[in-house]
Amino acid sequence: MNEQAYRAASEHAVYLDRSSAGCVEITGRDRLVLINRLSTNAVLNLAPGTGQITVLTTNIGRIIDLITVLAIDDDTIWVITSANRGAQLTTYFGRNKFYGDQFKVRDLTESVHQMRVYGSQATAMLEQLTNQNLEQVGLWQHISAEIDGCPVRLARIRPMRGTGWAIFADLAAADALCEAFDDANGALLDRPTYHTLRVEAGYPALNELNEEFIPLEANLWDAVSFNKGCYIGQEIIARMDSRGRLAKKLQGLRLSGAVEVPASLTKNNQDAGTLTSVVWSPALNQFIGLGYVRTGHELGSELTVGEQQAIVVELPFITQTEPTTVE
């Protein structure tokens, strides 16, 4: 982990290359109808400049991918996928075209450069670079701007250390954007440090978002609508919600020492779940992790993982709310 980048996230801003994330363009009359019937959230009424997270699920409610839908204009949406899923989901969307549907799907992953910007002063830094007021841009909303003469799209995303932004630009702008962030004292965020910040924020990664789990178990309640029409996997998800009890849930765990993941969690030699992520947190001065814990084990429960002890705690480990004022 890079201590300088870790400190910069709290004190200023950090940036990360995320071009491995997929970007799928869908155009045509039924572009939102398609996503609405394949995923968990209500997206039919997205207007240009707005967006939403939603989960593609199997017919038994298991996670295929957590995606972000951005309404670009009156005829176009972008679907932002997890890493290396662009081509796979382009095929998936095309395969789910019904008779009479009007939409076209195109994989833009190789032509769109993606970055993420986080930190307590990230919004202020981007305002300086774009000469725009970004405070009024709400979660999942997005605007067009320029950075150092390069056209970009800025979308507000879940925060880490105060703020979160996704940056989309032409591939040719990649070096210019990095230089602009460096000149504004932004720090390059390496992958190990990113994962430390992610776990502290309680956000699941790919190994926690797959077909072993349903969205509610992954704490993705804000990506699920219980009032929309039918979608693939709805029956299972609605049933688990109505019963008010999940078999397992993604929880935080304070650890007595380092553990290789994945690792089994136990209580009195009985299965208690699976530890899925572990990092060292400088802010908390201990190893922490994420894991799917069986719901019988409440907050404060002491579990065993390998030779170490694990205490179940509430997420997030560190509050990620953006400050109301910028110093």
Side-chain angles (χ1 to χ4, degrees):
M1 189 189 72
N2 186 313
E3 292 184 5
Q4 181 179 0
Y6 182 83
R7 187 168 57 252
S10 294
E11 297 175 356
H12 188 53
V14 292
Y15 67 92
L16 173 73
D17 187 319
R18 289 288 285 170
S19 290
S20 61
C23 180
V24 181
E25 178 189 77
I26 307 177
T27 59
R29 183 193 67 192
D30 298 313
R31 63 200 181 281
L32 290 172
V33 173
L34 170 71
I35 302 302
N36 204 63
R37 71 172 178 244
L38 293 179
S39 70
T40 57
N41 220 342
V43 299
L44 279 178
N45 296 321
L46 289 183
T50 68
Q52 186 58 270
I53 57 169
T54 186
V55 186
L56 300 170
T57 47
T58 69
N59 58 0
I60 56 171
R62 304 290 174 157
I63 298 170
I64 295 174
D65 198 17
L66 171 63
I67 60 175
T68 303
V69 182
L70 302 178
I72 304 302
D73 57 36
D74 289 332
D75 191 61
T76 305
I77 61 172
W78 282 1
V79 176
I80 310 305
T81 79
S82 297
N84 305 311
R85 295 279 182 86
Q88 173 190 349
L89 291 185
T90 298
T91 300
Y92 177 72
F93 294 142
R95 195 169 63 237
N96 280 277
K97 191 169 190 176
F98 289 177
Y99 177 79
D101 276 349
Q102 293 183 19
F103 66 81
K104 293 181 180 179
V105 185
R106 184 165 62 121
D107 187 0
L108 299 183
T109 304
E110 298 300 321
S111 59
V112 175
H113 179 64
Q114 297 194 47
M115 305 179 78
R116 304 291 183 264
V117 180
Y118 301 104
S120 62
Q121 303 298 311
T123 299
M125 183 185 77
L126 289 173
E127 286 184 332
Q128 175 188 344
L129 290 171
T130 62
N131 196 31
Q132 293 207 33
N133 180 0
L134 302 178
E135 293 295 337
Q136 303 306 312
V137 180
L139 187 63
W140 313 122
Q141 293 180 350
H142 47 100
I143 64 168
S144 296
E146 284 192 3
I147 295 178
D148 197 22
C150 302
V152 297
R153 182 170 297 275
L154 308 178
R156 191 182 287 271
I157 59 175
R158 283 175 168 162
M160 286 203 299
R161 282 299 199 274
T163 312
W165 291 92
I167 315 295
F168 305 92
D170 187 83
L171 283 179
D175 290 342
L177 291 178
C178 289
E179 290 179 9
F181 295 148
D182 289 340
D183 291 343
N185 295 319
L188 178 63
L189 184 60
D190 60 291
R191 299 299 297 181
T193 308
Y194 165 78
H195 282 296
T196 299
L197 296 171
R198 173 188 69 80
V199 173
E200 289 178 344
Y203 298 153
L206 272 177
N207 60 310
E208 288 131 358
L209 297 173
N210 55 52
E211 293 189 20
E212 293 184 40
F213 313 109
I214 73 164
L216 305 185
E217 294 172 335
N219 299 326
L220 296 176
W221 293 84
D222 57 342
V224 178
S225 169
F226 295 99
N227 301 313
K228 60 176 283 187
C230 295
Y231 61 87
I232 293 178
Q234 180 193 27
E235 183 178 352
I236 299 298
I237 294 172
R239 185 187 308 159
M240 296 192 78
D241 172 61
S242 64
R243 289 178 176 176
R245 183 176 176 84
L246 303 174
K248 54 187 176 292
K249 179 184 175 183
L250 190 68
Q251 297 276 35
L253 295 148
R254 289 180 178 262
L255 305 167
S256 60
V259 180
E260 292 290 328
V261 293
S264 295
L265 294 162
T266 61
K267 178 73 172 184
N268 298 327
N269 295 319
Q270 299 295 313
D271 176 34
T274 304
L275 181 68
T276 50
S277 292
V278 172
V279 299
W280 169 259
S281 170
L284 301 174
N285 195 36
Q286 70 176 138
F287 286 98
I288 60 173
L290 300 178
Y292 281 94
V293 179
R294 294 195 176 277
T295 50
H297 304 287
E298 300 177 349
L299 297 178
S301 296
E302 296 184 12
L303 308 179
T304 300
V305 54
E307 301 298 319
Q308 306 298 333
Q309 299 301 307
I311 298 176
V312 181
V313 298
E314 190 173 6
L315 293 173
F317 289 97
I318 296 176
T319 302
Q320 305 298 313
T321 303
E322 185 169 5
T324 55
T325 60
V326 178
E327 299 179 357

